[in-house]
Amino acid sequence: MAANSPSTAATLALIADDMREVDKVIAARLQSSVPLVGSVAQYIISAGGKRLRPALLLLTCGALEYKGEQRFNLAAVVEFIHTATLLHDDVVDESTLRRGRPTANEAFGNPASVLVGDFLHTRSFQMMVEAGSMRILQVLADATNVIAEGEVQQLMNTHDASLDEAGYLHVIRSKTAKLFEASARLAAILAGSTPDIEQACADYGQALGTAFQVIDDVLDYDGDAQEMGKNLGDDLREGKVTLPLIIAMQRGSQAQRELLRNVIETGSADELQPVIAIIRETGALTATRDAAAAQARLAMDAAAKLPANPYTKGLLQLAAQLLERRT
């Protein structure tokens, strides 16, 4: 997200007080009688990050004029679920750098990261139950299950040079966009919205989450490693076949396709610069950004169905600013 954008800052300012309340909930619910649990969880949460999922829930609550305390609890829940998936992801991917500093698995080891990720998942379910709504429990239970399936599918897709756009989109809608979708849908449920408004919120969340991940995949080949706080070409090293690679495979010459196929199958980052050159020459980065723009427009169309107020305007601006994201 273009963190320095005036309109993004103005949007997040709308929920600044709410986010401070969410931070209080997070701090309170990270408490554990086992010191290592708190240490690892605090380490990854204190690394910062965009907090987009809780922000999305709070902005949507604002758009729907819901002011109940439960919004703070559920915003913390979606952040815990997201943080748990980050802990597990970094172990699976053998990542060493996130947000400009060592990953939790690098700092504390794989066993601690996996087990604290489990703690965050189970703590989030305790908090869901406290909401006292089977509907909320159903949405979050379904979301966490879909996310887990997406993680496994992504693992199965590694080093698969035949992966197509449909297969790629299925994974990111499961792995990334599903929690965005759930965050927006939860706000509608809390607000007691009509089915049409609830669906519009869910559509917004899914489209925003999809656009966010597509841009993230662009930045792996076109970003600034220092700005992003992670290594360029990590996806390539991990054997992840993302949209820039898929489009380059479709558009490249036979020699270019052979080079890409070999790199995908071996996971060698030695050829990162030639791969980036092919991605640029085939117009794959532009095409991938266009795909993200299409999703951002879908998000804006969905947000336009919500009541007209500063929070809805903020949701529209979030989608528009996503396309300027550099980190």
Side-chain angles (χ1 to χ4, degrees):
M1 190 70 68
N4 296 324
S5 161
S7 56
T8 301
T11 296
L12 297 179
L14 290 170
I15 53 167
D17 289 343
D18 286 355
M19 199 63 92
R20 280 189 279 276
E21 293 301 317
V22 174
D23 286 342
K24 290 178 186 176
V25 175
I26 287 173
R29 301 313 291 260
L30 283 182
Q31 299 299 319
S32 167
S33 59
V34 181
L36 183 61
V37 170
S39 297
V40 177
Q42 192 63 48
Y43 179 84
I44 186 167
I45 284 177
S46 66
K50 303 166 189 70
R51 295 277 176 92
L52 271 182
R53 294 148 193 86
L56 174 55
L57 189 151
L58 294 171
L59 282 168
T60 311
C61 282
L64 301 176
E65 300 181 350
Y66 174 79
K67 297 294 184 185
E69 295 284 312
Q70 197 55 236
R71 71 192 192 278
F72 306 136
N73 182 53
L74 291 181
V77 166
V78 296
E79 186 66 9
F80 279 178
I81 293 170
H82 173 57
T83 304
T85 62
L86 293 186
L87 283 164
H88 289 164
D89 273 0
D90 286 342
V91 171
V92 170
D93 297 338
E94 299 179 3
S95 299
T96 60
L97 194 67
R98 181 180 287 279
R99 297 169 185 161
R101 67 176 188 169
T103 54
N105 49 298
E106 185 78 359
F108 297 94
N110 287 341
S113 289
V114 170
L115 295 173
V116 173
D118 292 344
F119 166 83
L120 287 172
H121 267 309
T122 52
R123 177 52 52 89
S124 72
F125 271 87
Q126 289 177 321
M127 294 165 71
M128 289 175 214
V129 171
E130 291 167 14
S133 164
M134 281 300 295
R135 181 85 174 95
I136 286 172
L137 192 58
Q138 177 191 23
V139 167
L140 284 166
D142 287 349
T144 51
N145 189 251
V146 168
I147 291 164
E149 286 182 334
E151 297 279 3
V152 176
Q153 186 62 58
Q154 180 172 269
L155 183 65
M156 292 172 62
N157 290 347
T158 54
H159 303 295
D160 182 1
S162 67
L163 185 70
D164 61 12
E165 186 171 345
Y168 160 81
L169 285 172
H170 175 73
V171 166
I172 67 170
R173 285 190 174 132
S174 301
K175 184 175 175 289
T176 302
K178 192 64 181 179
L179 193 54
F180 280 79
E181 176 190 326
S183 298
R185 188 187 290 276
L186 288 171
I189 294 169
L190 287 173
S193 300
T194 64
D196 285 350
I197 292 295
E198 182 185 322
Q199 190 59 52
C201 291
D203 290 345
Y204 174 87
Q206 188 197 65
L208 188 82
T210 302
F212 178 85
Q213 185 60 56
V214 172
I215 290 293
D216 198 64
D217 294 339
V218 167
L219 294 178
D220 199 59
Y221 295 102
D222 192 41
D224 181 299
Q226 192 167 2
E227 281 185 31
M228 292 192 299
K230 68 174 191 174
N231 301 308
L232 274 183
D234 272 351
D235 287 348
L236 198 63
R237 276 182 284 271
E238 293 157 13
K240 291 178 183 173
V241 185
T242 56
L243 195 54
L245 276 180
I246 291 168
I247 294 172
M249 283 284 286
Q250 291 170 347
R251 295 183 175 185
S253 66
Q254 184 173 344
Q256 288 174 325
R257 289 197 302 272
E258 283 301 319
L259 186 148
L260 292 175
R261 184 176 292 108
N262 180 64
V263 171
I264 289 166
E265 291 175 353
T266 61
S268 170
D270 295 342
E271 302 285 346
L272 178 59
Q273 291 311 314
V275 167
I276 290 174
I278 293 169
I279 287 173
R280 290 183 184 281
E281 288 165 17
T282 56
L285 284 178
T286 300
T288 304
R289 285 192 179 276
D290 288 346
Q295 291 296 318
R297 284 192 293 272
L298 288 175
M300 294 169 79
D301 289 345
K305 298 175 183 176
L306 305 185
N309 57 44
Y311 294 93
T312 298
K313 183 180 178 184
L315 291 172
L316 290 164
Q317 287 175 334
L318 268 189
Q321 289 298 320
L322 193 61
L323 302 179
E324 297 178 22
R325 181 179 166 221
R326 300 300 303 171
T327 63

